[in-house]
Amino acid sequence: MSVVATFQIEFRRFLDPAGHVTQPLPPFAADPQNLIPLYRMMVLTRTFDAKAIALQRTGRLGTFASSLGQEAVSVGVGSAMRDEDVLLPAYREYGAQFWRGVTMTELFLYWSGDERGMDFSGPRHDFPICVPIATQVCHAAGVAYAFQLRREPRVAVAVFGDGATSKGDFYEAINIAGAWRLPAVFVINNNQWAISMPRLRQTAAQTLAQKAIAAGIPGEQVDGNDVIAVRHAVEQALAKARAGGGPTLIEALTYRLGDHTTADDASRYRDAETVKAQWAQEPVSRLRTYLVRCGAWDREKEEALEKECASRVQAAVEEFLAIKLPGPEQMFDHLYATLPPGLQEQRAAAVAFAPRAAAGQEEDHG
């Protein structure tokens, strides 16, 4: 017997959990001042996150998916992309979306059940939040194929969770991306949990990055709590894809510090000591510690940033709450060019019932 193929998966990290530099920094990170925008966006994302949960608890948002502890993944991805690239997010990539121009008001609208929140005023070509698991990975391959056919120097960037790598959509997408050398970057936001299913029970693979090997594309693992590592890996993958070098799979190792969503209670399947230990790894304090050590950040700047973020989030909340809710006809008006007769009747009934429902005059269906 002879060996016909071998592979290895590299792990990339620049800042350890204590905020110490572990290897020479990439050019963009050489000046600590260049890292402050990344830090500011991570803090804004966390402030938004906390307010969204508070709004859900008081009945003004529907179910909300928190990104607590995963801010470095989304901010690293968003800050590496060019405006003309296309982001295909799952439902925890708020930092990337904010970086690219999606507003907090739009995301509040979406999580309140108002689909107008996905009609982004900023990145018009970016895809809406994808709740079905892994379907956006196939969409990314299609977008990348369009870029290739048009000879456009643009890249499709799909972000998805570790659970998505167990779905057929994921394998099909990375396979065709590799076969056709599509300009795509696939980022696994590996927060260790697919709702209540731990990473180790989702797959027998030692890493998720090695799943790229079967598709014939490069795969690497980065510290997803180190925003420098995430941004550098994504920047390199984007440059390669833009130059015709084909796709890359990046596994960003992080941890979901909160519940899966506000409809979940993670304390039922996770022990508190594990979560407590993971807080020592989290990305915001890691970068802050480094910036303070460099003399680029201090308590006064931190307090000013906290006030600024709170003010911006509150302004977005007030704007969101002032927007009039859509009528029930919205559920029907964007489905067909011509609504079928059966749905026309349903639309009429919904419109007629809406005023009574709003006034609390619900009919007795018993």
Side-chain angles (χ1 to χ4, degrees), residues 137-163:
V137 192
C138 293
H139 300 159
V143 171
Y145 186 43
F147 292 159
Q148 187 181 69
L149 287 174
R150 297 170 183 167
R151 301 182 185 278
E152 296 175 344
R154 306 167 67 188
V155 183
V157 181
V159 186
F160 45 93
D162 42 290

PDB file of all heavy atoms in Angstrom, residues 137-163:
ATOM      1  N   VAL A 137     -25.059  28.863   1.327  1.00  0.00           N
ATOM      2  CA  VAL A 137     -23.770  28.414   0.788  1.00  0.00           C
ATOM      3  C   VAL A 137     -23.924  28.084  -0.698  1.00  0.00           C
ATOM      4  O   VAL A 137     -23.057  28.400  -1.526  1.00  0.00           O
ATOM      5  CB  VAL A 137     -23.239  27.203   1.580  1.00  0.00           C
ATOM      6  CG1 VAL A 137     -21.780  26.943   1.214  1.00  0.00           C
ATOM      7  CG2 VAL A 137     -23.359  27.431   3.087  1.00  0.00           C
ATOM      8  N   CYS A 138     -25.055  27.470  -1.047  1.00  0.00           N
ATOM      9  CA  CYS A 138     -25.350  27.220  -2.470  1.00  0.00           C
ATOM     10  C   CYS A 138     -25.560  28.536  -3.207  1.00  0.00           C
ATOM     11  O   CYS A 138     -25.095  28.701  -4.343  1.00  0.00           O
ATOM     12  CB  CYS A 138     -26.599  26.350  -2.601  1.00  0.00           C
ATOM     13  SG  CYS A 138     -26.409  24.674  -1.978  1.00  0.00           S
ATOM     14  N   HIS A 139     -26.258  29.459  -2.567  1.00  0.00           N
ATOM     15  CA  HIS A 139     -26.478  30.759  -3.214  1.00  0.00           C
ATOM     16  C   HIS A 139     -25.134  31.439  -3.498  1.00  0.00           C
ATOM     17  O   HIS A 139     -24.959  32.071  -4.545  1.00  0.00           O
ATOM     18  CB  HIS A 139     -27.325  31.655  -2.312  1.00  0.00           C
ATOM     19  CG  HIS A 139     -28.669  31.084  -2.003  1.00  0.00           C
ATOM     20  ND1 HIS A 139     -29.427  31.474  -0.914  1.00  0.00           N
ATOM     21  CD2 HIS A 139     -29.399  30.113  -2.618  1.00  0.00           C
ATOM     22  CE1 HIS A 139     -30.558  30.796  -0.892  1.00  0.00           C
ATOM     23  NE2 HIS A 139     -30.570  29.957  -1.911  1.00  0.00           N
ATOM     24  N   ALA A 140     -24.209  31.300  -2.572  1.00  0.00           N
ATOM     25  CA  ALA A 140     -22.888  31.923  -2.752  1.00  0.00           C
ATOM     26  C   ALA A 140     -22.176  31.340  -3.965  1.00  0.00           C
ATOM     27  O   ALA A 140     -21.525  32.072  -4.728  1.00  0.00           O
ATOM     28  CB  ALA A 140     -22.046  31.738  -1.494  1.00  0.00           C
ATOM     29  N   ALA A 141     -22.292  30.038  -4.151  1.00  0.00           N
ATOM     30  CA  ALA A 141     -21.663  29.426  -5.329  1.00  0.00           C
ATOM     31  C   ALA A 141     -22.290  29.985  -6.605  1.00  0.00           C
ATOM     32  O   ALA A 141     -21.590  30.256  -7.590  1.00  0.00           O
ATOM     33  CB  ALA A 141     -21.825  27.904  -5.271  1.00  0.00           C
ATOM     34  N   GLY A 142     -23.602  30.177  -6.586  1.00  0.00           N
ATOM     35  CA  GLY A 142     -24.270  30.745  -7.756  1.00  0.00           C
ATOM     36  C   GLY A 142     -23.854  32.183  -8.019  1.00  0.00           C
ATOM     37  O   GLY A 142     -23.618  32.570  -9.176  1.00  0.00           O
ATOM     38  N   VAL A 143     -23.768  32.972  -6.961  1.00  0.00           N
ATOM     39  CA  VAL A 143     -23.334  34.368  -7.116  1.00  0.00           C
ATOM     40  C   VAL A 143     -21.908  34.406  -7.663  1.00  0.00           C
ATOM     41  O   VAL A 143     -21.592  35.187  -8.575  1.00  0.00           O
ATOM     42  CB  VAL A 143     -23.419  35.100  -5.760  1.00  0.00           C
ATOM     43  CG1 VAL A 143     -22.763  36.476  -5.848  1.00  0.00           C
ATOM     44  CG2 VAL A 143     -24.873  35.229  -5.323  1.00  0.00           C
ATOM     45  N   ALA A 144     -21.050  33.566  -7.112  1.00  0.00           N
ATOM     46  CA  ALA A 144     -19.659  33.532  -7.567  1.00  0.00           C
ATOM     47  C   ALA A 144     -19.572  33.103  -9.039  1.00  0.00           C
ATOM     48  O   ALA A 144     -18.735  33.614  -9.796  1.00  0.00           O
ATOM     49  CB  ALA A 144     -18.847  32.576  -6.687  1.00  0.00           C
ATOM     50  N   TYR A 145     -20.427  32.184  -9.430  1.00  0.00           N
ATOM     51  CA  TYR A 145     -20.440  31.751 -10.839  1.00  0.00           C
ATOM     52  C   TYR A 145     -20.836  32.909 -11.745  1.00  0.00           C
ATOM     53  O   TYR A 145     -20.272  33.094 -12.836  1.00  0.00           O
ATOM     54  CB  TYR A 145     -21.393  30.571 -10.998  1.00  0.00           C
ATOM     55  CG  TYR A 145     -21.388  29.942 -12.372  1.00  0.00           C
ATOM     56  CD1 TYR A 145     -20.200  29.712 -13.055  1.00  0.00           C
ATOM     57  CD2 TYR A 145     -22.579  29.561 -12.974  1.00  0.00           C
ATOM     58  CE1 TYR A 145     -20.194  29.123 -14.317  1.00  0.00           C
ATOM     59  CE2 TYR A 145     -22.582  28.975 -14.241  1.00  0.00           C
ATOM     60  CZ  TYR A 145     -21.387  28.767 -14.903  1.00  0.00           C
ATOM     61  OH  TYR A 145     -21.382  28.204 -16.152  1.00  0.00           O
ATOM     62  N   ALA A 146     -21.796  33.701 -11.296  1.00  0.00           N
ATOM     63  CA  ALA A 146     -22.205  34.876 -12.088  1.00  0.00           C
ATOM     64  C   ALA A 146     -21.034  35.846 -12.230  1.00  0.00           C
ATOM     65  O   ALA A 146     -20.795  36.386 -13.321  1.00  0.00           O
ATOM     66  CB  ALA A 146     -23.394  35.565 -11.415  1.00  0.00           C
ATOM     67  N   PHE A 147     -20.303  36.073 -11.146  1.00  0.00           N
ATOM     68  CA  PHE A 147     -19.138  36.965 -11.221  1.00  0.00           C
ATOM     69  C   PHE A 147     -18.110  36.434 -12.224  1.00  0.00           C
ATOM     70  O   PHE A 147     -17.512  37.188 -12.990  1.00  0.00           O
ATOM     71  CB  PHE A 147     -18.476  37.098  -9.846  1.00  0.00           C
ATOM     72  CG  PHE A 147     -19.303  37.825  -8.821  1.00  0.00           C
ATOM     73  CD1 PHE A 147     -19.052  37.665  -7.468  1.00  0.00           C
ATOM     74  CD2 PHE A 147     -20.329  38.676  -9.217  1.00  0.00           C
ATOM     75  CE1 PHE A 147     -19.806  38.335  -6.526  1.00  0.00           C
ATOM     76  CE2 PHE A 147     -21.098  39.351  -8.273  1.00  0.00           C
ATOM     77  CZ  PHE A 147     -20.834  39.173  -6.927  1.00  0.00           C
ATOM     78  N   GLN A 148     -17.932  35.127 -12.189  1.00  0.00           N
ATOM     79  CA  GLN A 148     -16.950  34.511 -13.090  1.00  0.00           C
ATOM     80  C   GLN A 148     -17.392  34.665 -14.549  1.00  0.00           C
ATOM     81  O   GLN A 148     -16.583  35.001 -15.422  1.00  0.00           O
ATOM     82  CB  GLN A 148     -16.786  33.039 -12.737  1.00  0.00           C
ATOM     83  CG  GLN A 148     -15.666  32.327 -13.481  1.00  0.00           C
ATOM     84  CD  GLN A 148     -15.601  30.858 -13.077  1.00  0.00           C
ATOM     85  OE1 GLN A 148     -16.492  30.071 -13.397  1.00  0.00           O
ATOM     86  NE2 GLN A 148     -14.557  30.491 -12.360  1.00  0.00           N
ATOM     87  N   LEU A 149     -18.665  34.419 -14.825  1.00  0.00           N
ATOM     88  CA  LEU A 149     -19.168  34.545 -16.193  1.00  0.00           C
ATOM     89  C   LEU A 149     -19.043  35.978 -16.702  1.00  0.00           C
ATOM     90  O   LEU A 149     -18.731  36.215 -17.867  1.00  0.00           O
ATOM     91  CB  LEU A 149     -20.629  34.095 -16.246  1.00  0.00           C
ATOM     92  CG  LEU A 149     -20.901  32.591 -16.137  1.00  0.00           C
ATOM     93  CD1 LEU A 149     -22.399  32.321 -16.057  1.00  0.00           C
ATOM     94  CD2 LEU A 149     -20.287  31.843 -17.306  1.00  0.00           C
ATOM     95  N   ARG A 150     -19.289  36.930 -15.810  1.00  0.00           N
ATOM     96  CA  ARG A 150     -19.236  38.342 -16.201  1.00  0.00           C
ATOM     97  C   ARG A 150     -17.815  38.900 -16.192  1.00  0.00           C
ATOM     98  O   ARG A 150     -17.608  40.056 -16.524  1.00  0.00           O
ATOM     99  CB  ARG A 150     -20.096  39.168 -15.258  1.00  0.00           C
ATOM    100  CG  ARG A 150     -21.573  38.836 -15.263  1.00  0.00           C
ATOM    101  CD  ARG A 150     -22.255  39.567 -14.109  1.00  0.00           C
ATOM    102  NE  ARG A 150     -23.674  39.250 -14.003  1.00  0.00           N
ATOM    103  CZ  ARG A 150     -24.413  39.568 -12.933  1.00  0.00           C
ATOM    104  NH1 ARG A 150     -23.866  40.189 -11.903  1.00  0.00           N
ATOM    105  NH2 ARG A 150     -25.688  39.257 -12.901  1.00  0.00           N
ATOM    106  N   ARG A 151     -16.878  38.094 -15.743  1.00  0.00           N
ATOM    107  CA  ARG A 151     -15.475  38.530 -15.602  1.00  0.00           C
ATOM    108  C   ARG A 151     -15.365  39.753 -14.688  1.00  0.00           C
ATOM    109  O   ARG A 151     -14.594  40.682 -14.930  1.00  0.00           O
ATOM    110  CB  ARG A 151     -14.865  38.825 -16.970  1.00  0.00           C
ATOM    111  CG  ARG A 151     -14.884  37.627 -17.906  1.00  0.00           C
ATOM    112  CD  ARG A 151     -14.228  37.959 -19.233  1.00  0.00           C
ATOM    113  NE  ARG A 151     -14.346  36.860 -20.172  1.00  0.00           N
ATOM    114  CZ  ARG A 151     -13.545  35.790 -20.193  1.00  0.00           C
ATOM    115  NH1 ARG A 151     -12.553  35.708 -19.328  1.00  0.00           N
ATOM    116  NH2 ARG A 151     -13.729  34.830 -21.085  1.00  0.00           N
ATOM    117  N   GLU A 152     -16.153  39.738 -13.618  1.00  0.00           N
ATOM    118  CA  GLU A 152     -16.115  40.824 -12.640  1.00  0.00           C
ATOM    119  C   GLU A 152     -15.166  40.447 -11.502  1.00  0.00           C
ATOM    120  O   GLU A 152     -15.261  39.324 -10.991  1.00  0.00           O
ATOM    121  CB  GLU A 152     -17.513  41.110 -12.091  1.00  0.00           C
ATOM    122  CG  GLU A 152     -18.504  41.604 -13.131  1.00  0.00           C
ATOM    123  CD  GLU A 152     -19.912  41.776 -12.578  1.00  0.00           C
ATOM    124  OE1 GLU A 152     -20.195  41.226 -11.484  1.00  0.00           O
ATOM    125  OE2 GLU A 152     -20.736  42.434 -13.238  1.00  0.00           O
ATOM    126  N   PRO A 153     -14.317  41.369 -11.068  1.00  0.00           N
ATOM    127  CA  PRO A 153     -13.390  41.054  -9.969  1.00  0.00           C
ATOM    128  C   PRO A 153     -14.060  41.183  -8.607  1.00  0.00           C
ATOM    129  O   PRO A 153     -13.664  41.983  -7.760  1.00  0.00           O
ATOM    130  CB  PRO A 153     -12.284  42.102 -10.161  1.00  0.00           C
ATOM    131  CG  PRO A 153     -12.998  43.281 -10.746  1.00  0.00           C
ATOM    132  CD  PRO A 153     -14.078  42.715 -11.639  1.00  0.00           C
ATOM    133  N   ARG A 154     -15.088  40.410  -8.413  1.00  0.00           N
ATOM    134  CA  ARG A 154     -15.869  40.447  -7.168  1.00  0.00           C
ATOM    135  C   ARG A 154     -15.886  39.049  -6.556  1.00  0.00           C
ATOM    136  O   ARG A 154     -15.672  38.049  -7.255  1.00  0.00           O
ATOM    137  CB  ARG A 154     -17.304  40.911  -7.444  1.00  0.00           C
ATOM    138  CG  ARG A 154     -17.388  42.229  -8.173  1.00  0.00           C
ATOM    139  CD  ARG A 154     -18.790  42.505  -8.698  1.00  0.00           C
ATOM    140  NE  ARG A 154     -19.762  42.724  -7.630  1.00  0.00           N
ATOM    141  CZ  ARG A 154     -21.076  42.828  -7.843  1.00  0.00           C
ATOM    142  NH1 ARG A 154     -21.562  42.707  -9.073  1.00  0.00           N
ATOM    143  NH2 ARG A 154     -21.895  43.043  -6.832  1.00  0.00           N
ATOM    144  N   VAL A 155     -16.189  38.991  -5.263  1.00  0.00           N
ATOM    145  CA  VAL A 155     -16.161  37.720  -4.548  1.00  0.00           C
ATOM    146  C   VAL A 155     -17.444  37.568  -3.731  1.00  0.00           C
ATOM    147  O   VAL A 155     -17.913  38.525  -3.108  1.00  0.00           O
ATOM    148  CB  VAL A 155     -14.933  37.634  -3.610  1.00  0.00           C
ATOM    149  CG1 VAL A 155     -14.878  36.262  -2.929  1.00  0.00           C
ATOM    150  CG2 VAL A 155     -13.651  37.900  -4.384  1.00  0.00           C
ATOM    151  N   ALA A 156     -17.987  36.364  -3.718  1.00  0.00           N
ATOM    152  CA  ALA A 156     -19.123  36.032  -2.856  1.00  0.00           C
ATOM    153  C   ALA A 156     -18.594  35.457  -1.546  1.00  0.00           C
ATOM    154  O   ALA A 156     -17.756  34.553  -1.560  1.00  0.00           O
ATOM    155  CB  ALA A 156     -20.034  35.017  -3.551  1.00  0.00           C
ATOM    156  N   VAL A 157     -19.078  35.997  -0.431  1.00  0.00           N
ATOM    157  CA  VAL A 157     -18.611  35.562   0.890  1.00  0.00           C
ATOM    158  C   VAL A 157     -19.798  35.016   1.675  1.00  0.00           C
ATOM    159  O   VAL A 157     -20.708  35.769   2.039  1.00  0.00           O
ATOM    160  CB  VAL A 157     -17.960  36.722   1.663  1.00  0.00           C
ATOM    161  CG1 VAL A 157     -17.465  36.235   3.027  1.00  0.00           C
ATOM    162  CG2 VAL A 157     -16.806  37.327   0.853  1.00  0.00           C
ATOM    163  N   ALA A 158     -19.795  33.727   1.929  1.00  0.00           N
ATOM    164  CA  ALA A 158     -20.861  33.095   2.705  1.00  0.00           C
ATOM    165  C   ALA A 158     -20.362  32.827   4.113  1.00  0.00           C
ATOM    166  O   ALA A 158     -19.246  32.331   4.311  1.00  0.00           O
ATOM    167  CB  ALA A 158     -21.291  31.785   2.053  1.00  0.00           C
ATOM    168  N   VAL A 159     -21.184  33.179   5.101  1.00  0.00           N
ATOM    169  CA  VAL A 159     -20.867  32.903   6.501  1.00  0.00           C
ATOM    170  C   VAL A 159     -21.969  32.003   7.058  1.00  0.00           C
ATOM    171  O   VAL A 159     -23.157  32.284   6.860  1.00  0.00           O
ATOM    172  CB  VAL A 159     -20.767  34.198   7.328  1.00  0.00           C
ATOM    173  CG1 VAL A 159     -20.287  33.880   8.748  1.00  0.00           C
ATOM    174  CG2 VAL A 159     -19.831  35.207   6.666  1.00  0.00           C
ATOM    175  N   PHE A 160     -21.573  30.963   7.752  1.00  0.00           N
ATOM    176  CA  PHE A 160     -22.549  29.989   8.255  1.00  0.00           C
ATOM    177  C   PHE A 160     -21.964  29.285   9.479  1.00  0.00           C
ATOM    178  O   PHE A 160     -20.765  29.361   9.741  1.00  0.00           O
ATOM    179  CB  PHE A 160     -22.891  28.963   7.161  1.00  0.00           C
ATOM    180  CG  PHE A 160     -21.692  28.441   6.415  1.00  0.00           C
ATOM    181  CD1 PHE A 160     -21.052  27.293   6.820  1.00  0.00           C
ATOM    182  CD2 PHE A 160     -21.191  29.127   5.319  1.00  0.00           C
ATOM    183  CE1 PHE A 160     -19.933  26.818   6.147  1.00  0.00           C
ATOM    184  CE2 PHE A 160     -20.074  28.671   4.637  1.00  0.00           C
ATOM    185  CZ  PHE A 160     -19.443  27.519   5.051  1.00  0.00           C
ATOM    186  N   GLY A 161     -22.829  28.606  10.214  1.00  0.00           N
ATOM    187  CA  GLY A 161     -22.401  27.982  11.456  1.00  0.00           C
ATOM    188  C   GLY A 161     -21.824  26.588  11.266  1.00  0.00           C
ATOM    189  O   GLY A 161     -21.850  26.027  10.164  1.00  0.00           O
ATOM    190  N   ASP A 162     -21.306  26.034  12.355  1.00  0.00           N
ATOM    191  CA  ASP A 162     -20.711  24.693  12.294  1.00  0.00           C
ATOM    192  C   ASP A 162     -21.747  23.646  11.911  1.00  0.00           C
ATOM    193  O   ASP A 162     -21.448  22.691  11.191  1.00  0.00           O
ATOM    194  CB  ASP A 162     -20.052  24.335  13.626  1.00  0.00           C
ATOM    195  CG  ASP A 162     -20.882  24.750  14.825  1.00  0.00           C
ATOM    196  OD1 ASP A 162     -20.979  25.967  15.060  1.00  0.00           O
ATOM    197  OD2 ASP A 162     -21.439  23.871  15.515  1.00  0.00           O
ATOM    198  N   GLY A 163     -22.995  23.834  12.364  1.00  0.00           N
ATOM    199  CA  GLY A 163     -24.033  22.872  12.016  1.00  0.00           C
ATOM    200  C   GLY A 163     -24.296  22.814  10.525  1.00  0.00           C
ATOM    201  O   GLY A 163     -24.690  21.768   9.993  1.00  0.00           O
TER     202      GLY A 163
END
